Amino acid sequence: MSSYPVPNVGTMTSTGLTAQQMAIIWQNILLQCLGISPSGPTDASAYSQVRIDWPTPGQPAWAITQDVAFIRAIETPDDYNTAHEVQPVVEFSQTFPENTIYTRVWQIDLIFYGPNSFDHSRQVKDCIFQDFVRDILEASNLYPETVVGTSRRTPELFQNQWWERSGSSIRLNEQVTDSLTKQAIRSVEVALQSEAGIISDVVVGL
């Protein structure tokens, strides 16, 4: 959930996820699918096995014998992204919300390095449609498509060595609600005018 001011209109609140928030959700899923149990939120040994970004100095930045997974979340163009439904909410108060509901389409790239990278890619692919994964996704208004890309083995040349690399992609839909809180009309000016000009000008408060 995020909010920000819209000049001369009001405040916009959105349920839409950021790319990092999406990656963190999938980090939790991959850890469970791979049987990795962090002892706590600061368990670096566990979270370093499933990462949400690449190391700033460059990559790979781990031993060729290590199994490491990366998650990349990208919003992808789709016809669903262009359809928006606006639902004004009638309320008799100084402010009122106007909801816009639409669907965002995401592509989640799951990238695995290490000697077991292909097996891990296949393991996660088989795990994605388990009930616990659906529960995690639905809690964030996320709904995966029923087709998952084939696991691809694509070794990567780095420092004159071939690093084992495999991966797959999954697309999912996110239902987003943007709520814009607007200021209601507080008064109306009523002017009575004859041929000779304005004979009465009254401001009526609402």
Side-chain angles (χ1 to χ4, degrees):
M1 183 77 71
S2 61
S3 62
Y4 53 90
V6 179
N8 303 318
V9 179
T11 301
M12 175 72 80
T13 301
S14 178
T15 64
L17 298 171
T18 65
Q20 185 174 28
Q21 288 171 331
M22 178 71 76
I24 290 173
I25 290 172
W26 279 93
Q27 182 184 45
N28 179 35
I29 291 172
L30 262 65
L31 286 169
Q32 295 186 58
C33 288
L34 295 173
I36 302 170
S37 301
S39 60
T42 59
D43 186 352
S45 63
Y47 288 104
S48 64
Q49 297 180 62
V50 179
R51 309 184 185 192
I52 61 175
D53 52 24
W54 276 264
T56 302
Q59 59 90 17
W62 54 92
I64 196 171
T65 56
Q66 284 182 277
D67 290 311
V68 178
F70 286 92
I71 300 164
R72 178 168 56 201
I74 306 168
E75 187 176 356
T76 185
D78 192 276
D79 290 342
Y80 280 121
N81 289 4
T82 62
H84 289 61
E85 178 185 356
V86 179
Q87 297 180 340
V89 179
V90 178
E91 292 184 359
F92 297 96
S93 60
Q94 293 185 351
T95 61
F96 67 95
E98 181 180 83
N99 296 332
T100 302
I101 301 173
Y102 59 97
T103 298
R104 297 167 76 191
V105 181
W106 290 85
Q107 176 175 310
I108 310 300
D109 295 327
L110 307 176
I111 304 162
F112 300 85
Y113 287 93
N116 299 302
S117 57
F118 185 80
D119 291 337
H120 284 174
S121 178
R122 178 190 54 79
Q123 182 177 337
V124 169
K125 179 183 173 183
D126 293 342
C127 174
I128 283 174
F129 294 105
Q130 298 299 315
D131 288 342
F132 82 90
V133 176
R134 289 184 180 275
D135 291 343
I136 293 173
L137 295 176
E138 288 181 6
S140 297
N141 298 317
L142 299 171
Y143 306 92
E145 295 184 0
T146 57
V147 177
V148 181
T150 303
S151 297
R152 304 176 301 274
R153 178 176 175 264
T154 54
E156 181 174 309
L157 182 63
F158 178 74
Q159 293 182 343
N160 296 320
Q161 289 182 299
W162 285 101
W163 297 62
E164 282 292 335
R165 170 176 169 165
S166 297
S168 61
S169 299
I170 182 171
R171 284 163 55 98
L172 66 158
N173 299 327
E174 177 191 11
Q175 180 179 308
V176 179
T177 300
D178 290 345
S179 181
L180 180 59
T181 302
K182 295 184 174 182
Q183 294 292 328
I185 297 174
R186 298 184 179 181
S187 62
V188 175
E189 182 180 7
V190 179
L192 301 179
Q193 184 174 350
S194 66
E195 293 181 356
I198 296 177
I199 57 177
S200 178
D201 189 350
V202 180
V203 176
V204 180
L206 301 178

